[in-house]
Amino acid sequence: MNVARSFNNWRKFRQTVNELGRMSSRELQDLGIDRADIRSVARASIAR
């Protein structure tokens, strides 16, 4: 069970990083996210 949950968390993290990374700086700014904060935002998405 923990392996499956860890894999799903990793996959969700990677998906979030990839999606935010594809956005332009302007789009990220509109969302209130700095490009340097993408990984932090992705980690926070797992905690929910």
Side-chain angles (χ1 to χ4, degrees):
M1 189 91 135
N2 283 336
V3 173
R5 188 176 324 168
S6 294
F7 177 74
N8 285 333
N9 285 343
W10 172 81
R11 195 176 73 209
K12 186 175 181 181
F13 172 81
R14 291 303 313 152
Q15 181 180 8
T16 304
V17 168
N18 288 335
E19 288 179 11
L20 292 175
R22 284 192 298 262
M23 292 180 141
S24 68
S25 294
R26 172 67 185 220
E27 291 171 320
L28 289 171
Q29 185 180 22
D30 287 346
L31 294 172
I33 301 171
D34 190 65
R35 192 162 293 280
D37 295 331
I38 289 176
R39 289 187 174 270
S40 298
V41 171
R43 271 192 290 281
S45 73
I46 294 171
R48 289 187 217 155

